[in-house]
């Protein structure tokens, strides 16, 4: 019992403390997400109300993007000032949320204001992503993006949420893609800020969040559903390290030796869940706790760090539900953390036993038993992640357990030049390269004294190990897609760079005997560097933005006002299909090589764009061979008979291109290890095959629609 004002009050148990702090964090995250969603919605609606010129033919939207970025920077600057001045902590929080979400909304939304499409339009990979969102907008059930009667193989988390948002708003999936992508990035950016604020002092959290958000928008935003994982990864790694490496739980004689170099400042305890304050040192080295810092350390310390265990498990489960590759890399990093923490625990126990032997004390503990607690925590994290992941993966798992085994997939059959060498962004001669180099130096210098550096450093090491494993796997005829990890590495280095800049400035301030204008000079350098990087983001994304203006959207229009492509006929094709089949779109299977049609309308496809995006349960190679065999038949009756005997649901319609006396489909096959890894080939069907009452043929623009009459 503890006494206060002469009265005895019950001491809160670990469970109560854990629930209170988790509830507080979740509540704050929900409120922050609501603010970010409102900011993104207001901004995107406002942008859409003006007839802007196309980005690829005018600099108007780029100039307004810069103005918006400066406004966001001002909001973040005021928030940091309020935190350091210990004034109005909730005002500072709200300003930081508004600032981060404004930055994301303006940086992506303003350059894309004159188009309904997101970065990369509906080209290349964005085609199947749009198709996935269209599928889950049409139905909340977990269906494969292309194939009928199959559960999804690619995680549906981000797309399912987006589909439900689009459905509620009454929007088509393709049209909702842009606002949903931008809005989700804005929301997750402020959730990452809330998580950072629970791990480190509040003013540092704002600065680090701003840096990682800017780098994510610049290098990861075209793939929005993976970028949300990238935003959360750095604080999640620190959370996981705090869950697994807990030196204060060791015997006191060992703990002193281990922790003497593990926590460099009061704020370091917060990352690990150890007792202490969450404020840490301020940038000037006063040692005071920052206003608005969360009392995470004391809460999680009392609860034994299980809050961090739960948080790490939930993050990994979310990652598995959103993006398989980044989940695998994050799980690999957390697994390394578990092994490292177990090794450190064994070493500490060995040191304790030796010390007790020298002093003649009794009761030496088992050396290897010391590794059990961190490994148990690792298993609990994995169990939580598995339960969360099953929400998305269960249909696929049940399908396999039911006897439908996947054919050999080719999702990993891609090795561009970037995947054949280690990514070294810190060696680039650029502003970002210098920043990443600063982060690299900080990771090395602080590896023995900072828990933040240890966590981020293990993440960086995990990425490089993954890259080496991926390059080694080429000898076995596959890869681990390491080329996609460069944005993840850059964001981890950006977080380290932010810490390196602040701590380096603090040490320089002390070394130079605290010159009067030094703080102002540091602030000016930080502002100039930040604005120089952020205002260049539209240029970094210029190819992706340009494609959004040159692709034809679902309304049959190009945002740059030039002649649209063949997709402008899709609306007429859709109307003909509905009229001739008499069925809803989701009840029809269409065989076509123009698979962008499926991005705009939720028909099922008989064959995917390429084998790399095909569900491994669909037998891509078998379907390709079947299509080719159909083209070689010599009569309509034979084709009708073959369609009836196909082991999969047969096409209800064919969407061809016409070429002389034949109808053509341009299909694709995997030719890995070549780069490019896809070879296009044409399958031609004699027009005579469809000169039968079983088929209805309609010419629409460059297309020929053939509906199977059943």
């Amino acid at each position: 019992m503890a006494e206060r004002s002469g009265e005895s009050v019950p001491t809160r148990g670990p469970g109560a403390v854990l629930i209170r702090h988790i509830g507080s964090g979740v509540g704050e995250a929900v409120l922050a997400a609501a603010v970010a969603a409102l900011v993104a919605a207001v901004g995107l609606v406002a942008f859409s109300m003006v007839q802007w010129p196309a980005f690829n033919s005018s600099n108007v939207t780029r100039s307004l993007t810069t103005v918006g970025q400066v406004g966001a920077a001002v909001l973040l600057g005021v928030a940091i000032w309020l935190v350091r001045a210990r004034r109005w902590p909730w005002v500072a929080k709200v300003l930081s949320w508004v600032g981060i979400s404004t930055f994301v909304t303006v940086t992506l939304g303003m350059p894309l204001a004159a188009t309904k499409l997101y970065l990369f339009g509906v080209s290349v990979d964005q085609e199947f992503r749009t198709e996935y969102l269209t599928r889950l907008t049409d139905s909340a059930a977990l269906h494969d993006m292309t194939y009928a009667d199959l559960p999804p193989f690619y995680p549906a988390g981000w797309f399912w949420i987006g589909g439900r948002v689009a459905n509620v708003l009454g929007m088509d999936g393709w049209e909702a893609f842009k606002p949903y992508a931008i809005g989700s990035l804005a929301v997750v950016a402020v959730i990452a800020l809330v998580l950072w604020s629970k791990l480190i002092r509040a003013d540092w959290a704002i600065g680090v969040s701003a840096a990682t958000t800017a780098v994510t928008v610049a290098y990861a935003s075209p793939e929005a559903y993976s970028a949300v994982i990238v935003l959360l990864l750095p604080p999640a790694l620190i959370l996981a390290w705090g869950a697994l490496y807990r030196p204060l739980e060791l015997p006191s004689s060992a703990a002193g030796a281990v922790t003497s170099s593990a926590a460099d400042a009061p704020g370091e305890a917060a990352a690990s869940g150890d007792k202490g304050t969450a404020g840490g040192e301020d940038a000037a080295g006063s040692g005071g706790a920052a206003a608005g810092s969360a009392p995470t350390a004391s809460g999680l310390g009392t609860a034994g760090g299980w809050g961090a265990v739960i948080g790490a498990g939930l993050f990994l489960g979310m990652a598995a539900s959103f993006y398989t590759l980044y989940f695998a890399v994050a799980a690999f990093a957390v697994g390394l953390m578990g092994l490292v923490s177990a090794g450190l625990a064994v070493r500490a126990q060995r040191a304790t036993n030796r010390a007790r032997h020298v002093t003649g004390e009794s009761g030496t503990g088992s050396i290897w038993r010391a590794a059990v607690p961190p490994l148990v925590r690792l298993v609990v994290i994995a169990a939580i992640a598995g339960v969360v992941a099953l929400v998305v993966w269960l249909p696929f798992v049940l399908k396999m357990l039911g006897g439908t085994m996947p054919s050999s997939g080719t999702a990993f059959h891609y090795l561009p030049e970037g995947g054949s060498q280690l990514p070294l962004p810190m060696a680039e001669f650029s502003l970002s390269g210098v920043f990443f180099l600063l982060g690299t130096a900080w990771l090395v210098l602080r590896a023995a004294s900072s828990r933040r550096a240890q966590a981020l450093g293990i993440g960086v090491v995990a990425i490089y190990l993954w890259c080496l494993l991926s390059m080694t796997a080429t000898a076995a005829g596959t890869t681990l897609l390491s080329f996609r990890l460069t944005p993840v590495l850059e964001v981890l280095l950006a977080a380290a760079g932010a810490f390196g800049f602040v701590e380096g400035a603090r040490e320089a301030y002390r070394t130079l005997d605290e010159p009067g204008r030094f703080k102002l000079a540091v602030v000016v350098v930080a502002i100039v560097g930040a604005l120089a990087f952020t205002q260049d983001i539209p240029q970094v994304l210029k190819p992706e933005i340009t494609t959004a203006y040159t692709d034809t959207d679902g309304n049959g229009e190009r945002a740059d006002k030039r002649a649209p492509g063949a997709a402008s006929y899709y609306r007429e094709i859709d109307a003909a299909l509905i009229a001739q089949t008499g069925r809803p779109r989701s009840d029809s299977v269409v065989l076509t090589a123009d698979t962008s049609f499926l991005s705009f309308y939720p028909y099922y496809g008989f064959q995917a764009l390429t084998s790399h995006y095909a569900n491994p349960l669909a037998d891509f190679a078998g379907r390709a061979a079947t299509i080719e065999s159909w083209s070689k038949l010599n009569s309509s009756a034979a084709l009708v008979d073959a369609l009836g005997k196909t082991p999969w649901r047969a096409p209800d319609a064919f969407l061809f291109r016409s070429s002389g006396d034949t109808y053509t489909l341009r299909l694709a096959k995997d030719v890995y290890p070549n780069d490019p890894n896809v070879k296009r080939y044409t399958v031609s069907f004699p027009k005579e095959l469809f000169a039968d009452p079983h088929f209805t043929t309609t010419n629409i623009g460059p297309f020929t629609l053939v509906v199977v009459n059943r």
Side-chain angles (χ1 to χ4, degrees):
M1 305 289 286
E3 295 189 3
R4 182 177 297 172
S5 302
E7 298 181 4
S8 62
V9 295
T11 302
R12 297 184 181 217
V17 171
L18 177 62
I19 293 173
R20 179 169 64 89
H21 282 284
I22 290 179
S24 173
V26 171
E28 188 173 324
V30 170
L31 182 59
V35 170
L38 179 62
V39 169
V42 170
L44 293 174
V45 170
F47 298 160
S48 68
M49 297 176 68
V50 179
Q51 295 296 320
W52 304 105
F55 179 86
N56 54 328
S57 61
S58 172
N59 290 317
V60 170
T61 53
R62 182 169 181 175
S63 64
L64 293 175
T65 300
T66 301
V67 173
Q69 290 174 333
V70 171
V74 170
L75 292 173
L76 293 173
V78 172
I80 292 175
W81 179 81
L82 288 174
V83 169
R84 296 186 60 78
R86 304 182 186 183
R87 298 181 182 178
W88 305 327
W90 269 101
V91 173
K93 286 183 179 182
V94 174
L95 284 178
S96 66
W97 301 342
V98 173
I100 289 287
S101 54
T102 296
F103 170 78
V104 175
T105 303
V106 168
T107 304
L108 293 175
M110 193 69 245
L112 294 170
T115 177
K116 292 182 179 295
L117 300 178
Y118 187 59
L119 300 172
F120 262 141
V122 285
S123 295
V124 198
D125 292 2
Q126 218 68 302
E127 179 182 311
F128 87 83
R129 296 167 191 153
T130 307
E131 179 187 354
Y132 209 174
L133 188 60
T134 293
R135 169 72 54 230
L136 295 178
T137 298
D138 180 68
S139 171
L142 292 178
H143 285 299
D144 183 79
M145 68 185 88
T146 299
Y147 299 104
D149 306 321
L150 283 183
F153 172 69
Y154 286 92
W158 186 86
F159 298 94
W160 188 91
I161 296 171
R164 295 304 86 212
V165 171
N167 187 271
V168 168
L169 297 177
M171 302 175 69
D172 292 332
W174 71 267
E175 191 174 10
F177 196 104
K178 185 187 82 169
Y180 173 59
I182 296 172
S184 64
L185 286 172
V187 167
V188 175
V190 298
I191 292 176
L193 170 57
V194 171
L195 181 54
W196 275 116
S197 70
K198 299 299 180 181
L199 300 174
I200 60 176
R201 43 182 291 175
D203 53 342
W204 286 19
I206 296 171
V208 174
S209 295
T212 54
T213 299
V215 172
T216 300
V217 170
Y219 301 123
S221 58
E223 198 174 59
Y225 69 116
S226 68
V228 296
I229 303 301
V230 175
L231 282 167
L232 291 170
L233 182 61
L237 288 179
I238 294 176
L239 191 68
W241 184 233
L244 296 169
Y245 179 48
R246 303 186 55 76
L248 293 187
E249 293 182 351
L250 298 173
S252 57
S253 58
V258 175
T259 59
S260 62
S261 62
D264 60 303
E268 292 293 346
S272 63
D274 300 332
K275 295 182 179 181
T277 65
E281 300 176 352
D282 64 20
S286 67
S293 296
T296 307
S298 58
L300 291 183
T302 305
W306 287 102
V309 170
I310 294 172
L314 291 176
F315 167 75
L316 288 179
M318 173 192 168
S321 302
F322 277 50
Y323 195 77
T324 307
L325 176 63
Y326 288 177
F327 157 71
V329 173
F332 182 54
V334 173
L336 284 179
M337 288 180 176
L339 294 177
V340 171
S341 59
L344 291 174
V346 168
R347 187 184 70 172
Q349 186 63 57
R350 181 181 288 112
T352 299
N353 291 349
R354 288 175 179 172
R356 286 175 174 173
H357 178 73
V358 170
T359 59
E361 297 181 43
S362 60
T364 58
S366 170
I367 293 177
W368 298 108
R369 186 174 297 174
V372 172
L375 294 180
V376 168
R377 291 172 184 270
L378 183 63
V379 170
V380 174
I381 289 174
I384 294 172
V387 170
V388 175
L390 279 178
V391 174
V392 168
W393 282 97
L394 185 60
F396 186 85
V397 172
L398 291 177
K399 189 75 171 180
M400 287 198 304
L401 294 178
T404 305
M405 298 306 295
S407 58
S408 56
T410 60
F412 291 97
H413 286 187
Y414 188 35
L415 184 64
E417 184 178 359
S420 63
Q421 51 192 331
L422 294 175
L424 297 171
M426 71 289 286
E428 296 177 1
F429 190 72
S430 63
L431 180 62
S432 59
V434 172
F435 191 57
F436 297 150
L437 185 61
L438 175 62
T440 303
W442 180 81
L443 289 175
V444 174
L445 291 173
R446 299 279 274 138
S449 59
S450 168
R451 296 177 66 81
R452 290 167 288 137
Q454 291 162 2
L456 296 175
I458 291 174
V460 170
V461 169
I463 288 176
Y464 279 115
L465 288 176
W466 190 276
C467 290
L468 291 172
L469 289 172
S470 181
M471 287 183 275
T472 303
T474 59
T478 188
T479 76
L480 298 180
L481 302 179
S482 61
F483 73 97
R484 292 194 180 276
L485 299 185
T486 300
V488 184
L489 175 63
E490 290 169 333
V491 170
L492 291 178
L493 292 178
F499 288 127
F501 180 82
V502 173
E503 293 187 9
R506 182 179 62 189
E507 293 304 317
Y509 178 74
R510 292 170 174 171
T511 301
L512 297 175
D513 198 22
E514 303 183 359
R517 294 187 176 273
F518 186 84
K519 293 182 182 179
L520 178 60
V522 170
V523 171
V524 170
V525 170
I527 292 174
V528 170
L531 291 179
F533 178 80
T534 57
Q535 72 176 5
D536 191 53
I537 291 177
Q539 184 63 31
V540 173
L541 296 174
K542 186 175 181 178
E544 292 89 340
I545 297 173
T546 299
T547 305
Y549 281 90
T550 57
D551 274 1
T552 303
D553 65 24
N555 292 328
E557 301 172 350
R558 273 178 52 156
D560 60 2
K561 306 304 180 184
R562 298 183 180 179
S568 61
Y569 293 95
Y570 285 169
R571 180 172 294 180
E572 188 177 348
I573 294 169
D574 170 60
L577 266 168
I578 292 176
Q580 294 176 25
T581 63
R583 293 191 298 269
R585 299 181 180 101
S586 57
D587 283 348
S588 295
V589 175
V590 179
L591 171 56
T592 179
D594 291 273
T595 48
S596 61
F597 177 68
L598 308 179
S599 299
F600 297 124
Y601 299 100
Y603 295 95
Y604 284 106
F606 183 79
Q607 184 67 307
L609 174 65
T610 72
S611 63
H612 309 89
Y613 301 126
N615 193 315
L617 298 177
D619 190 7
F620 183 94
R623 288 172 183 257
T626 298
I627 294 170
E628 193 163 1
S629 70
W630 291 343
S631 70
K632 297 176 181 178
L633 297 175
N634 54 17
S635 69
S636 300
L639 177 58
V640 171
D641 183 61
L643 291 175
K645 294 179 178 179
T646 179
W648 315 282
R649 182 172 169 180
D652 298 297
F654 298 81
L655 186 59
F656 292 117
R657 296 292 183 112
S658 182
S659 177
D661 295 331
T662 62
Y663 297 132
T664 62
L665 293 173
R666 188 164 173 79
L667 304 180
K669 63 179 179 180
D670 175 53
V671 291
Y672 177 84
N674 294 332
D675 183 28
N677 61 329
V678 173
K679 180 181 179 180
R680 299 287 179 179
Y681 66 99
T682 300
V683 175
S684 298
F685 286 74
K687 292 183 177 180
E688 290 79 6
L689 280 179
F690 303 98
D692 185 275
H694 284 94
F695 304 100
T696 299
T697 302
T698 308
N699 293 317
I700 303 174
F703 299 100
T704 296
L705 175 66
V706 178
V707 174
V708 182
N709 299 318
R710 293 193 174 97

